[in-house]
Every structure is written in structure tokens, then in C-alpha cells.
């Protein structure tokens, strides 16, 4: 009975924490600081956002190590050259004369 109660409590707590999406909210907050108003290292919010970014990077390295390392290596590469513009032939319409 005690085991079933613990299991149900753990599942309920996991469900509630999953629905709260605390990690997603923390990530949105940190990225808002990054791309929103200009916070610098003199502001405590900038320092509070750094552990959130560190956890995101660690999660990416654990989940997709090769893809993350490749993206990190190529983050400052110049964009690929553009393909040439398509050439469109101009076709003059033929006008047919009406028949009487």
C-alpha cells in the first residue's frame, strides 16, 4: 500500500512539474534577457541567466554531442555563396488579327 502511494505521488508530482514547464520558462526568461533590453555584467539578472545557458548547453552536449560540437565549430562561418539569379526568357506575345 505504501509503495502504491509513493508511486502515485511521484507520478502526480512528475506530471505537475512537467505541465509547469519550469525549464522552458527559465529558458524563455534568459533568452529574453539576451535579446531584450541591454543587460550587462553589472546587472544581477545577467549573472542569473548564465547558469540557465550553461544547463542548456550541457543538455545539448549530452543529447547531441556531435551535432552540438559541429554547430559550435561552424557558428562564425560566412554564409554560403548565393546561387546565380534565374534567367527568364522574355517571350513576346503574338497578337492575332480578327478575321472578318
Amino acid at each position: 500500500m505504501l509503495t502504491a502511494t509513493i508511486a502515485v505521488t511521484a507520478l502526480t508530482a512528475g506530471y505537475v512539474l512537467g505541465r509547469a514547464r519550469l525549464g522552458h520558462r527559465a529558458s524563455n526568461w534568459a533568452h529574453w534577457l539576451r535579446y531584450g533590453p541591454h543587460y550587462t555584467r553589472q546587472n544581477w539578472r545577467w549573472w542569473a541567466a548564465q547558469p540557465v545557458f550553461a544547463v542548456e548547453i550541457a543538455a545539448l552536449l549530452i543529447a547531441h554531442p556531435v551535432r552540438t560540437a559541429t554547430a559550435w565549430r561552424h557558428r562564425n562561418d560566412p554564409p554560403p555563396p548565393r546561387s546565380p539569379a534565374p534567367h527568364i526568357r522574355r517571350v513576346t506575345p503574338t497578337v492575332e488579327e480578327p478575321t472578318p
Side-chain angles (χ1 to χ4, degrees):
M1 182 66 171
L2 181 63
T3 306
T5 305
I6 292 172
V8 168
T9 304
L11 285 173
T12 304
Y15 176 77
V16 168
L17 286 174
R19 294 294 293 175
R21 298 174 58 159
L22 299 176
H24 187 70
R25 290 180 184 200
S27 175
N28 284 346
W29 173 78
H31 284 281
W32 175 81
L33 284 178
R34 171 71 175 90
Y35 297 111
H38 298 289
Y39 287 103
T40 60
R41 293 181 183 189
Q42 286 79 24
N43 194 316
W44 69 270
R45 287 183 178 97
W46 187 89
W47 289 102
Q50 298 313 304
V52 175
F53 290 136
V55 168
E56 286 181 356
I57 292 170
L60 284 172
L61 280 171
I62 291 169
H64 306 286
V66 174
R67 198 180 319 171
T68 303
T70 303
W72 185 262
R73 254 185 263 124
H74 297 289
R75 70 190 184 281
N76 291 326
D77 288 353
R82 295 178 60 175
S83 61
H87 180 70
I88 301 173
R89 274 187 320 140
R90 179 169 292 250
V91 178
T92 57
T94 58
V95 178
E96 295 181 16
E97 294 186 20
T99 57

